Amino acid sequence: MNYRSFLIKYAEIGVKGKNRYLFEDALVKQIHHRLKRLEGGFTVTKEAGRIYAEASEAFDFDEVVNALQHVFGIVGICPMLQIEDNGYEDLKAQVVRYIGEAYENKNFTFKVVARRGNKQYPVVSDQINRDLGEVILNAYPETRVDVHNPDVLLRVEVRHKINIFSETIPGPGGMPIGTAGKAMLLLSGGIDSPVAGYMVAKRGVTLEATYFHAPPYTSERAKQKVVDLAKLVAKYTGPIKLNVVNFTDIQLYIYDQCPHDELTIIMRRYMMRIAEAIAKESDCLALITGESIGQVASQTLQSLGVTNAVCELPVMRPLIAFDKQDIVDISLKIDTYETSVLPYEDCCTIFVAKHPVTKPNLKRIEMSETKLSEKIDEMVKTAIETREVIRCI
Ligand code: ATP
Ligand code: MG
């Protein structure tokens, strides 16, 4: 079948009451954005609870479906034949043509479900079901009708035009990007943080990201890996502004001044402070990390509490109760795993103590941080001001 158009199904946004149009418009915008880079000259329109993407030229079917499968908010992608209303006999002929071209092997059971959005149409839905069933059976005697559990459910929607479709390719679900504000993802080169960003973005949140880079302890390749991860996540979220903060001086200063078993936790507190300052500058409403209870010393409840204490913005930790394997499964699904496991050093691992505190005490950590008071504010300011911004598409 040479499809020209797609019907886009969305679920949750259908129930948003008065604000429904905002969600629909955001979805239309995201679909348009994603398809405009592909061949096909697509126009995306909405019409009474339906979104259509229609091509004006030839396109690569798999490429378009793949692009649509990266748009949050879509639950189903239905390739469809959309025809003008040229009379009932024409509809019958078009349905026969559709079945003929869409299914090579006609050995299936089917059911026709017609819906008449246009109540002026001269034939009622039940009659359309029966008549179309009959023409299909006549044209393709190998087919059979099964109204309870059909292999092929052929939908015929009679509206302004007529939509004929029978296949639904699953979309990613979630909510359209741009409907839930913006958040700052602390993006490292690991497995967890790209997954955390993906999960929050799937609820409609626009992402910005911050990466703490510690040259020469961390290499350009380690940075490139983070850029690559941001680009992979951006396939779902749209462009991500990545802030690369040079963290070396701060880390060395902490290393010189503070007890080594507290290094990780103090470093993490500075990461959060800096990420939050950039977040506020960019109008982000929250921070996102890939933390998960008990994964490492800095992710005990005590450590999470001490890290959290420096933040004013809410910190979203979507993976907090996930097992590692479940996180890995998502990273495989969203295609970040292979990049995440490339073996480049991480700034946390280089400065990590042999026996980091696992139950830090907030007062003690705050005491240790007073040893930094001479230079740290200036260093934080410089780190923020000299950050490199990379647009990841
Ligand atoms: P990940 O797999 O995401 O790197 P992790 O298991 O290695 O996580 P940590 O190193 O303790 O765990 O980091 C916890 C979280 O802190 C990360 O998920 C990320 O959100 C943030 N983070 C850690 N290192 C960095 C970094 N260099 N730059 C930005 N964020 C970081
Ligand atoms: Mg890490």
Side-chain angles (χ1 to χ4, degrees):
M1 182 81 203
N2 235 338
Y3 291 105
R4 261 294 154 96
S5 31
F6 295 87
L7 186 155
I8 312 289
K9 287 187 177 166
Y10 49 91
E12 251 181 280
I13 66 173
V15 298
K16 288 286 165 196
K18 266 208 323 269
N19 289 334
R20 176 175 165 153
Y21 78 97
L22 292 174
F23 288 82
E24 289 172 338
D25 289 351
L27 184 54
V28 167
K29 192 172 146 197
Q30 291 299 323
I31 295 170
H32 173 74
H33 196 73
R34 222 50 68 86
L35 295 183
K36 78 173 184 223
R37 277 180 266 147
L38 308 183
E39 281 178 17
F42 279 92
T43 27
V44 185
T45 49
K46 68 169 187 173
E47 179 209 289
R50 285 270 180 268
I51 291 176
Y52 302 117
E54 191 181 352
S56 60
E57 319 149 11
F59 62 89
D60 181 332
F61 183 84
D62 293 339
E63 187 181 67
V64 168
V65 168
N66 182 276
L68 292 172
Q69 283 184 311
H70 284 77
V71 179
F72 295 136
I74 295 181
V75 294
I77 302 154
C78 308
M80 73 173 181
L81 173 65
Q82 189 171 55
I83 58 167
E84 301 289 337
D85 176 10
N86 286 329
Y88 199 43
E89 292 310 310
D90 181 64
L91 171 60
K92 290 179 187 169
Q94 296 280 9
V95 163
V96 168
R97 176 168 83 90
Y98 174 86
I99 294 287
E101 290 181 24
Y103 298 95
E104 215 168 288
N105 178 357
K106 306 289 188 298
N107 210 334
F108 57 72
T109 60
F110 73 94
K111 174 184 179 178
V112 180
V113 177
R115 247 171 65 184
R116 215 167 45 127
N118 168 14
K119 298 292 179 205
Q120 311 301 316
Y121 197 75
V123 190
V124 296
S125 305
D126 273 351
Q127 188 65 43
I128 300 177
N129 292 342
R130 278 194 295 273
D131 292 343
L132 293 182
E134 194 181 308
V135 292
I136 295 171
L137 286 171
N138 287 340
Y140 309 109
E142 318 91 287
T143 61
R144 280 158 295 131
V145 170
D146 180 348
V147 291
H148 300 294
N149 193 17
D151 300 325
V152 172
L153 184 65
L154 180 75
R155 296 195 177 270
V156 175
E157 292 185 343
V158 182
R159 299 184 157 218
H160 173 57
K161 291 183 180 175
I162 301 174
N163 302 330
I164 301 167
F165 58 96
S166 58
E167 258 189 273
T168 304
I169 303 162
M175 307 282 267
I177 292 286
T179 55
K182 186 163 43 160
M184 178 64 76
L185 170 65
L186 281 88
L187 182 61
S188 67
I191 294 171
D192 306 327
S193 44
V195 172
Y198 164 87
M199 287 178 67
V200 173
K202 190 162 179 246
R203 299 305 303 163
V205 175
T206 305
L207 293 187
E208 184 167 329
T210 298
Y211 165 58
F212 294 92
H213 186 38
Y217 304 98
T218 57
S219 62
E220 275 303 300
R221 286 193 310 182
K223 175 173 131 186
Q224 187 55 45
K225 173 178 161 181
V226 175
V227 172
D228 292 343
L229 284 171
K231 286 182 179 170
L232 289 170
V233 177
K235 285 193 182 165
Y236 290 92
T237 62
I240 295 178
K241 180 177 157 193
L242 173 67
N243 301 277
V244 179
V245 174
N246 187 324
F247 203 48
T248 314
D249 290 348
I250 294 175
Q251 280 191 311
L252 290 173
Y253 190 47
I254 299 172
Y255 194 78
D256 281 344
Q257 304 293 322
C258 299
H260 286 188
D261 60 347
E262 295 175 358
L263 283 182
T264 306
I265 193 85
I266 294 175
M267 262 163 34
R268 295 198 53 73
R269 279 161 60 91
Y270 277 97
M271 281 189 186
M272 297 302 260
R273 287 178 172 114
I274 293 171
E276 182 171 78
I278 303 173
K280 286 180 174 171
E281 243 181 65
S282 299
D283 296 324
C284 293
L285 302 170
L287 302 175
I288 308 166
T289 75
E291 290 161 312
S292 167
I293 300 170
Q295 230 189 49
V296 285
S298 61
Q299 296 177 26
T300 62
L301 282 185
Q302 290 87 346
S303 300
L304 289 166
V306 171
T307 311
N308 206 60
V310 297
C311 300
E312 282 172 19
L313 291 178
V315 181
M316 298 194 281
R317 301 179 171 89
L319 307 180
I320 198 71
F322 274 49
D323 290 347
K324 191 73 185 188
Q325 188 56 47
D326 297 333
I327 303 171
V328 166
D329 288 347
I330 300 178
S331 76
L332 286 167
K333 189 183 90 182
I334 66 171
D335 211 23
T336 52
Y337 181 79
E338 265 182 43
T339 305
S340 287
V341 295
L342 292 173
Y344 308 134
E345 63 295 317
D346 179 59
C347 68
C348 290
T349 49
I350 289 162
F351 289 87
V352 83
K354 281 210 185 69
H355 300 290
V357 281
T358 53
K359 293 180 184 161
N361 171 282
L362 181 57
K363 289 276 164 298
R364 274 251 296 278
I365 298 293
E366 284 172 348
M367 271 303 282
S368 301
E369 285 180 358
T370 60
K371 302 190 179 97
L372 303 169
S373 58
E374 194 189 330
K375 293 195 202 158
I376 196 75
D377 289 350
E378 196 54 37
M379 291 173 110
V380 165
K381 191 164 162 266
T382 306
I384 293 171
E385 280 170 5
T386 60
R387 72 184 189 270
E388 181 190 0
V389 174
I390 302 173
R391 206 174 123 84
C392 301
I393 302 183

